[in-house]
């Protein structure tokens, strides 16, 4: 029984790591997977929009592999 | 056209005023010498390089290895202007997540250190793009993280982050908060530094 509980705890505590260096759009934020397997922010496209003269959105351009903030 | 010593001083005065930061000469600082010894002992960076090449921000104090507005063989006047928003971006990070967390993460985690420095390097990239209309070599820029004790894998992630920023900057985006502050001033007072085709 103790073994079952211990295994259940180990499974529930296991964190899901992302593939290092992959990128994605989370809402309007560009994220990259760091070497620890965590998603970290690269660019906040809303912030870029406020600081620039146009509106920027997070997307993966055709024929590219990375998410990026680009003009709408 | 190259920046004048007065322009460099005015730029630093403006930026440090906005970020409520203070410039301290690194070479005169006992604290910096102590930190250089510590970082050298930990194998993070070489003592001499730390004291003569790197500008360091702790809290709201920016420790420069040069006197602002005085050109040296290691620190050109434009180089001094480029490093200013970089360091102010660290102050902005500190304001965003809190001084204790910023300093702790910076010291403990080399990945976090790479992430914080990338935010600064984005300012370098944007400053050079503003002046020359070109994107600097992001591979070289990310490679500087070796001097901060970052691994090859961390440097590779950093380079990818800078490449993404470069795409946004090339598309006309202003990515860094500190550069957005700098750009307003530069457009107003230093437009003559830009390549003629950009004006």
């Amino acid at each position: 029984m103790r073994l079952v509980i211990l295994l259940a705890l180990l499974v529930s505590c296991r964190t899901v790591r992302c593939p290092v260096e992959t990128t994605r759009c989370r809402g309007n934020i560009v994220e990259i997977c760091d070497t620890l397997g965590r998603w970290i922010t690269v660019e906040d496209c809303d912030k870029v929009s406020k600081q620039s003269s146009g509106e920027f959105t997070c997307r993966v351009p055709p024929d590219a592999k990375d998410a990026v903030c680009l003009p709408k | 056209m190259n920046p004048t010593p007065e322009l460099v001083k005015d730029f630093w005065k403006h930026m440090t005023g906005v970020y409520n930061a203070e410039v301290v000469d690194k070479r005169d600082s006992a604290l910096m010498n102590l930190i250089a010894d510590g970082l050298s002992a930990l194998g993070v960076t070489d003592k001499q390089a730390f004291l003569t090449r790197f500008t360091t921000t702790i809290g709201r104090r920016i420790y420069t290895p040069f006197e602002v507005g005085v050109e040296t063989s290691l620190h050109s006047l434009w180089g001094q202007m480029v490093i200013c928003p970089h360091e102010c971006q660290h102050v902005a990070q500190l304001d965003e997540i809190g001084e204790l967390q910023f300093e702790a993460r910076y010291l403990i985690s080399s990945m976090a250190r790479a992430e914080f420095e990338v935010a600064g390097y984005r300012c370098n990239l944007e400053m050079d793009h503003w002046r020359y209309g070109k994107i600097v070599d992001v591979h070289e820029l990310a490679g500087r993280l070796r001097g901060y004790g970052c691994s090859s894998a961390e440097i590779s992630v950093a380079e990818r982050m800078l490449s993404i920023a470069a795409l946004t900057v090339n598309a006309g985006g202003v990515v860094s908060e500190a550069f957005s502050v700098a750009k307003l001033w530069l457009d107003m007072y230093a437009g003559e530094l830009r390549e003629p085709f950009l004006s």
Side-chain angles (χ1 to χ4, degrees):
Chain A
M1 186 62 182
R2 278 183 188 165
L3 186 65
V4 172
I5 293 169
L6 188 65
L7 282 172
L9 280 172
L10 280 173
V11 168
S12 64
C13 290
R14 194 180 68 184
T15 51
V16 180
R17 289 169 183 265
C18 51
V20 176
E21 272 195 55
T22 52
T23 63
R24 69 176 185 184
C25 289
R26 188 173 61 82
N28 212 21
I29 291 173
V30 180
E31 291 186 330
I32 190 167
C33 184
D34 72 8
T35 55
L36 303 172
R38 304 168 311 178
W39 289 108
I40 59 170
T41 298
V42 181
E43 296 176 339
D44 180 336
C45 303
D46 289 335
K47 212 180 248 184
V48 173
S49 299
K50 277 182 198 158
Q51 293 168 173
S52 311
S53 49
E55 198 175 337
F56 284 71
T57 56
C58 181
R59 63 176 189 270
V60 182
D63 303 324
K65 54 184 176 180
D66 284 328
V68 62
C69 292
L70 288 172
K72 203 171 184 177
Chain B
M1 189 173 172
N2 287 318
T4 61
E6 290 69 32
L7 187 84
V8 179
K9 284 179 194 167
D10 287 348
F11 181 60
W12 272 82
K13 190 177 174 189
H14 170 72
M15 293 297 291
T16 52
V18 170
Y19 285 94
N20 192 23
E22 178 190 358
V23 178
V24 179
D25 195 320
K26 196 174 196 178
R27 297 160 299 181
D28 299 337
S29 166
L31 174 67
M32 285 293 118
N33 270 281
L34 200 65
I35 290 173
D37 285 333
L39 292 175
S40 179
L42 290 169
V44 174
T45 190
D46 173 70
K47 180 178 179 177
Q48 205 53 28
F50 177 78
L51 288 174
T52 60
R53 301 189 73 90
F54 301 139
T55 301
T56 306
T57 296
I58 296 181
R60 311 196 88 83
R61 285 191 169 169
I62 301 173
Y63 295 87
T64 58
F66 52 83
E67 186 183 338
V68 172
V70 178
E71 190 163 32
T72 70
S73 58
L74 288 174
H75 305 283
S76 68
L77 291 176
W78 175 244
Q80 293 179 19
M81 290 183 80
V82 169
I83 199 67
C84 180
H86 175 126
E87 299 305 326
C88 288
Q89 186 65 38
H90 290 321
V91 177
Q93 289 168 328
L94 180 146
D95 285 339
E96 194 178 332
I97 67 169
E99 184 167 355
L100 196 63
Q101 196 186 149
F102 176 76
E103 308 290 6
R105 285 180 60 198
Y106 194 97
L107 286 174
I108 293 166
S109 163
S110 51
M111 185 63 242
R113 195 154 57 240
E115 188 186 343
F116 288 135
E117 285 303 325
V118 161
Y121 288 146
R122 275 195 286 258
C123 293
N124 296 42
L125 185 150
E126 292 186 278
M127 285 290 284
D128 269 339
H129 185 265
W130 176 85
R131 188 176 184 197
Y132 300 113
K134 291 177 185 167
I135 296 294
V136 292
D137 181 353
V138 294
H139 181 72
E140 184 278 324
L141 209 50
R144 294 183 194 180
L145 288 169
R146 286 189 206 290
Y148 290 80
C150 296
S151 69
S152 295
E154 289 157 353
I155 291 170
S156 181
V157 171
E159 185 176 336
R160 194 78 164 267
M161 293 171 81
L162 289 168
S163 299
I164 290 169
L167 291 171
T168 304
V169 169
N170 254 338
V174 176
V175 178
S176 315
E177 184 205 303
F179 175 71
S180 73
V181 172
K183 186 177 182 296
L184 288 174
W185 191 93
L186 291 167
D187 283 344
M188 196 171 287
Y189 300 108
E192 70 277 7
L193 296 181
R194 302 187 82 188
E195 289 294 326
F197 73 90
L198 295 168
S199 303

